[in-house]
Amino acid sequence: MRKFFLLSAATLLSAVVSAQTVARMDDLKPEQKSMAVSLKLTGELSTTGNSDYRQLRDLCFQMRSVDLSEAQSTAIPNNAFHSRHQLEQITLPTAAKSIGSQAFFACDKLGKITIPAGVETIGAAAFSGCTALEEITIKGAPQIAEYAFARLEGLKTVRVDSKVPPKADATAFYGINRQNVKLIVPTGSEKLYRKAAGWSLFFNDAKEKYQVSYPPYCLVPFPAELRLQKGADLKVKTAWNIIAADGLSNEAEQARRVLTERIGNIVNSRQRGTQITLALDNSLSDDEAYTLAINSKGVTAKGKTARGVFYALMTLDQLLRGNGSTECADAIPALFISDKPRTHVRELMVDPARTFIPFEDLKAFVPEMARYKLNAMHLHLVDDQAWRIEIKKYPQLTAQASSRWGQDDIQMPYKGYYTQEQMRELVKLGAEYHVDIVPEIEMPGHEVAAISVFPELTCHQRQVPVRTTCGVSNELLCPGNDFTYEFLGNVFKEIVDIFPSKYIHLGGDEAGNPALDCWTDCPKCQALKQKLGIKTTDRSENWRLQGYLFDRMIELLRDKYGKTPMFWYESDFKEIQPGCVTFAWRSGQTQEALDAAVRNNARIMLCPGEHCYFDYPMSKGDMPEVNWGMPATTLKDAYSLDPAWGMNEKFEQNNLFGVAGTLWSECIPTVERIYYQAYPRAIALAEAGWTKQQNRSWEGFLTRLKPTMKDMMRRGITCSLEVNGEK
Ligand code: ACM
Ligand code: ZN
């Protein structure tokens, strides 16, 4: 593998001083892009496809300083510099007219920005999370969208040249620390700014209208039954007492967290305050079922299990959030909710193998998922590109196969792995939020990282490096080799010890022809075929070998460790072993997978590519702009998933396991962008998985999504704004 090339501080400094000047990104070689620290572009900059902006953002991972002052560019595209954590300095094009939404989201080293006089619009969350931004100079009078300059903890000076305050959304500067910030406006204009929306925040707390939340517009996923009731509203901005039944100490803690995050100072005394009672109710019909009753005196949350009580609290959190324009509404109307899910597993799959997700960031996914009653996080821990989980028996795996240089055209280091201790901590956190952590170890394909360390796992002991491109490798584990079983057995011994989940995913995807051909001329594989009496030569023999490998691993996991094995469905499997869960993932082939599940009396997870592949762009032109020809999975596509795929009630009861969204990360190079790909589609998935069809509507979902997305923006979570995305 290539050595990581990092520039020394002195080299960096001199590079910042002397910017390299070119007309366009195509004038630079790939290695010049990956080494670029300071660039000046002077040409006409493209904005679609593999554009100048896409290349600046994705191919220049060390870029600290960009000068576009002379570039011919009027529109800074949406997400132009999304989560570029190295960017310290940028001069915008003098000709700029618009700055797209989230264009500089979380550029948290950016120190200053000058908005040129010709800029007419600054998009939503354009500079949100630029926590080091100290100085903003606005030369003209652009219209400033919601949360455009939100969460700027380090802000010291805002200088606006316009005598008339630019039109700014009330949330444009959300979260500024007024004590530390000086707003400098033309002499004589201060009075106007004091009164203007968005700007008054610099002078005093915005006077917010008394807000009563309107439950039919708040809740996502929508509950099974929601009844507004007569009687006075519950005023929420008061002291609260939390009364919890035995066995609900975790939920009491969660209640305290929710109330504190929304309302602030919570007094917990038995003498005074609004009461929230957490209780178990055995009469409820489902382990995840709950009821939530609210009146002017307080809240009663009941669940059949602690999990149900937790979901009542997640619902309460959304009621407190109200229309999303502030942390918390003032009151909730009297109501009764009775709720339970349609499917019991609502999963997101993350892929730290292709792009490593630092541990703290991985943990942060859990509470966000739980808000929407998603209850399983599937960890794709190994693949051709990396091995990301510590295995004590084989420390070489992480020592040698957890770092590489590059992913396709993105030339940067991809590095990291999780210790077993960290995974145990994640499992514990998951339990607090009722999110099951499901590990996946791939076989027989997508295993090049392991093969790079142990060539003896393959048929021909080939030395191969970890893969640095997307796609499918022709190197597979050899099913005729005893070491393959010894290796997998030792790996799973540790995996089952770390992860208490009932489920373990074995991969199984994309090992098909021609990759399986590598088994044809292997003496060990031939001997195994002979032993098993496999005589065909039409390639079905290789599928039967894969079946043999799977059978052995399934027996180990199911019979020795009491686990439920899972795998990605491939039509050539034909048989699904008893007690397994298979995943329908291939676009256009869902029915085939469902028929196989019914035929084999197996359970099946619905994650068909057309609805559930969230690594695909949410709209044509949305991130990731460059890929291997992924179609768009629009928000409406995600929402329109029918978990039962038009099958009957019997299928739903006997076979349907749940719904899952995937976040393969070949084209997702930053943590923030994983959120961007996940949301809001994961919320659509959550509703598809939770809410019965008769209570769902696309229009209703969009209405309820609005406050949800406002709340995300307020909390500094990035998500795609292309809610009406096009194919
Ligand atoms: C997959 O997308 N290869 C399961
Ligand atoms: Zn072999």
Side-chain angles (χ1 to χ4, degrees):
M1 191 192 315
R2 277 174 64 172
K3 278 245 164 65
F4 292 170
F5 184 88
L6 289 172
L7 297 171
S8 72
T11 325
L12 281 173
L13 213 61
S14 63
V16 168
V17 173
S18 56
Q20 188 171 7
T21 303
V22 288
R24 300 196 43 194
M25 291 304 288
D26 287 344
D27 298 338
L28 295 169
K29 295 191 179 74
E31 57 274 22
Q32 287 177 301
K33 292 172 198 172
S34 97
M35 286 171 56
V37 173
S38 180
L39 268 188
K40 178 166 179 163
L41 298 184
T42 55
E44 190 171 330
L45 303 188
S46 56
T47 57
T48 58
N50 191 20
S51 66
D52 289 296
Y53 281 100
R54 184 268 163 179
Q55 293 187 43
L56 264 176
R57 183 193 60 216
D58 289 356
L59 307 187
C60 305
F61 80 101
Q62 308 193 73
M63 182 78 79
R64 290 172 162 210
S65 164
V66 180
D67 183 350
L68 303 179
S69 56
E70 293 169 32
Q72 292 143 59
S73 175
T74 52
I76 314 291
N78 296 345
N79 311 312
F81 294 88
H82 192 287
S83 48
R84 288 324 317 176
H85 297 293
Q86 306 303 324
L87 187 67
E88 292 171 1
Q89 196 180 316
I90 184 157
T91 310
L92 296 178
T94 311
K97 284 195 161 40
S98 64
I99 297 172
S101 59
Q102 305 188 68
F104 295 89
F105 182 87
C107 288
D108 46 13
K109 288 217 176 79
L110 194 61
K112 286 187 209 179
I113 190 76
T114 297
I115 309 293
V119 171
E120 292 162 7
T121 55
I122 300 177
F127 293 87
S128 174
C130 294
T131 47
L133 198 58
E134 290 192 356
E135 258 184 71
I136 302 172
T137 304
I138 300 177
K139 293 285 188 190
Q143 191 159 336
I144 307 174
E146 56 187 349
Y147 298 100
F149 294 103
R151 307 176 71 89
L152 307 187
E153 288 162 16
L155 194 59
K156 294 210 167 85
T157 316
V158 180
R159 193 184 307 270
V160 193
D161 288 358
S162 172
K163 286 195 171 124
V164 179
K167 241 187 180 165
D169 187 89
T171 62
F173 289 91
Y174 173 82
I176 59 155
N177 181 342
R178 202 163 49 232
Q179 267 74 45
N180 296 349
V181 185
K182 207 157 138 200
L183 175 66
I184 304 167
V185 298
T187 321
S189 296
E190 192 179 286
K191 254 192 183 162
L192 284 175
Y193 277 82
R194 257 177 200 281
K195 285 192 286 183
W199 300 102
S200 57
L201 261 189
F202 287 89
F203 302 92
N204 46 45
D205 284 324
K207 281 205 190 59
E208 279 146 12
K209 277 202 298 223
Y210 186 85
Q211 193 213 127
V212 183
S213 76
Y214 182 59
Y217 288 179
C218 287
L219 302 177
V220 58
F222 203 70
E225 186 190 346
L226 161 65
R227 275 187 268 140
L228 296 181
Q229 300 196 306
K230 291 212 176 73
D233 298 339
L234 171 67
K235 295 200 165 90
V236 301
K237 291 185 175 164
T238 171
W240 286 71
N241 297 332
I242 301 167
I243 315 277
D246 285 351
L248 295 176
S249 57
N250 175 61
E251 286 57 47
E253 206 38 59
Q254 291 285 3
R256 190 184 318 282
R257 180 185 62 79
V258 164
L259 294 169
T260 308
E261 279 175 14
R262 291 289 171 201
I263 302 166
N265 239 344
I266 308 296
V267 177
N268 196 28
S269 101
R270 283 179 184 266
Q271 274 75 51
R272 51 185 287 273
T274 294
Q275 191 157 308
I276 176 165
T277 306
L278 311 181
L280 295 172
D281 179 353
N282 225 352
S283 72
L284 292 170
S285 61
D286 186 293
D287 278 357
E288 294 187 294
Y290 69 90
T291 57
L292 181 67
I294 296 181
N295 61 31
S296 62
K297 299 221 166 46
V299 174
T300 305
K302 291 184 185 170
K304 174 151 176 142
T305 64
R307 185 180 285 267
V309 175
F310 177 74
Y311 290 141
L313 294 171
M314 294 302 96
T315 295
L316 175 65
D317 181 61
Q318 295 188 349
L319 293 166
L320 288 167
R321 177 256 282 145
N323 71 14
S325 58
T326 59
E327 284 93 335
C328 193
D330 296 282
I332 304 174
L335 58 77
F336 178 79
I337 289 172
S338 172
D339 200 7
K340 63 175 182 181
R342 178 175 177 185
T343 70
H344 289 98
V345 181
R346 303 165 302 277
E347 170 190 293
L348 281 188
M349 188 220 75
V350 292
D351 172 15
R354 272 57 173 262
T355 300
F356 183 64
I357 307 170
F359 180 56
E360 289 305 318
D361 296 302
L362 184 69
K363 283 201 304 187
F365 269 83
V366 171
E368 196 60 31
M369 288 174 61
R371 285 175 188 277
Y372 313 106
K373 304 185 174 78
L374 294 165
N375 65 359
M377 182 197 264
H378 168 170
L379 294 179
H380 187 75
L381 289 167
V382 308
D383 211 299
D384 294 335
Q385 292 83 355
W387 186 282
R388 300 290 191 205
I389 172 80
E390 175 191 26
I391 300 295
K392 292 192 194 285
K393 170 95 181 167
Y394 302 119
Q396 310 91 307
L397 287 168
T398 45
Q400 295 170 30
S402 71
S403 59
R404 69 178 191 278
W405 181 274
Q407 173 71 45
D408 299 301
D409 66 345
I410 304 179
Q411 294 299 304
M412 68 173 194
Y414 287 80
K415 188 172 188 310
Y417 69 90
Y418 305 122
T419 64
Q420 296 194 359
E421 199 180 335
Q422 287 175 327
M423 288 295 94
R424 289 180 208 282
E425 188 182 328
L426 181 71
V427 165
K428 184 165 167 286
L429 179 80
E432 288 165 14
Y433 288 82
H434 297 281
V435 172
D436 192 20
I437 309 294
V438 180
E440 176 181 356
I441 302 291
E442 279 263 20
M443 68 187 72
H446 290 286
E447 267 286 20
V448 168
I451 289 168
S452 75
V453 178
F454 296 109
E456 59 268 42
L457 285 167
T458 65
C459 293
H460 303 285
Q461 292 80 47
R462 264 197 285 274
Q463 291 277 350
V464 282
V466 291
R467 196 176 169 95
T468 57
T469 54
C470 63
V472 178
S473 167
N474 283 334
E475 295 299 335
L476 305 181
L477 302 182
C478 171
N481 184 349
D482 287 343
F483 180 63
T484 300
Y485 301 94
E486 181 188 325
F487 173 80
L488 291 172
N490 284 330
V491 168
F492 281 123
K493 189 168 169 212
E494 296 190 28
I495 292 288
V496 299
D497 189 53
I498 305 164
F499 297 97
S501 172
K502 271 204 290 206
Y503 305 102
I504 295 202
H505 204 294
L506 306 180
D509 56 316
E510 298 183 314
N513 302 324
L516 285 175
D517 285 357
C518 71
W519 291 348
T520 302
D521 61 353
C522 163
K524 287 180 183 153
C525 286
Q526 280 168 350
L528 178 61
K529 279 181 213 167
Q530 206 161 32
K531 189 173 136 200
L532 299 174
I534 299 172
K535 295 213 167 67
T536 49
T537 52
D538 60 356
R539 286 176 160 176
S540 65
E541 66 277 17
N542 287 333
W543 280 102
R544 291 168 67 188
L545 281 193
Q546 176 162 344
Y548 171 80
L549 171 75
F550 263 71
D551 283 348
R552 279 187 64 169
M553 284 304 120
I554 286 167
E555 273 161 31
L556 174 78
L557 291 167
R558 191 187 52 200
D559 304 341
K560 179 162 180 194
Y561 296 119
K563 299 286 184 181
T564 298
M566 300 174 139
F567 56 87
W568 304 105
Y569 182 77
E570 294 284 18
S571 55
D572 301 82
F573 278 143
K574 309 259 192 287
E575 304 296 321
I576 301 169
Q577 293 87 337
C580 292
V581 174
T582 194
F583 281 48
W585 61 280
R586 283 192 184 271
S587 291
Q589 296 183 26
T590 302
Q591 193 59 50
E592 214 175 311
L594 294 174
D595 291 344
V598 171
R599 206 169 53 238
N600 289 276
N601 198 21
R603 286 180 295 168
I604 187 160
M605 181 79 105
L606 266 278
C607 58
E610 320 81 304
H611 299 277
C612 297
Y613 268 42
F614 302 157
D615 44 314
Y616 295 179
M618 197 161 100
S619 182
K620 196 169 186 308
D622 197 8
M623 289 199 291
E625 288 91 343
V626 178
N627 54 54
W628 53 87
M630 300 163 176
T633 306
T634 66
L635 181 60
K636 197 170 184 180
D637 291 335
Y639 190 74
S640 61
L641 173 69
D642 169 10
W645 207 255
M647 308 272 281
N648 57 22
E649 192 67 24
K650 195 163 151 228
F651 166 80
E652 190 151 346
Q653 298 213 326
N654 294 345
N655 306 102
L656 178 60
F657 183 70
V659 296
T662 65
L663 290 156
W664 304 106
S665 66
E666 293 95 329
C667 296
I668 313 181
T670 70
V671 165
E672 290 83 356
R673 283 172 59 176
I674 302 179
Y675 282 92
Y676 186 91
Q677 296 300 128
Y679 294 102
R681 286 177 291 193
I683 304 174
L685 178 83
E687 181 152 308
W690 180 280
T691 306
K692 284 225 179 335
Q693 199 69 35
Q694 67 262 30
N695 291 331
R696 285 170 55 189
S697 93
W698 168 240
E699 291 72 24
F701 173 72
L702 284 184
T703 303
R704 290 175 286 112
L705 188 62
K706 268 197 193 115
T708 314
M709 285 178 68
K710 263 189 203 295
D711 190 54
M712 284 185 135
M713 272 202 241
R714 196 185 50 70
R715 292 184 292 107
I717 305 283
T718 176
C719 55
S720 176
L721 303 176
E722 304 282 329
V723 291
N724 288 308
E726 298 193 354
K727 296 295 249 183

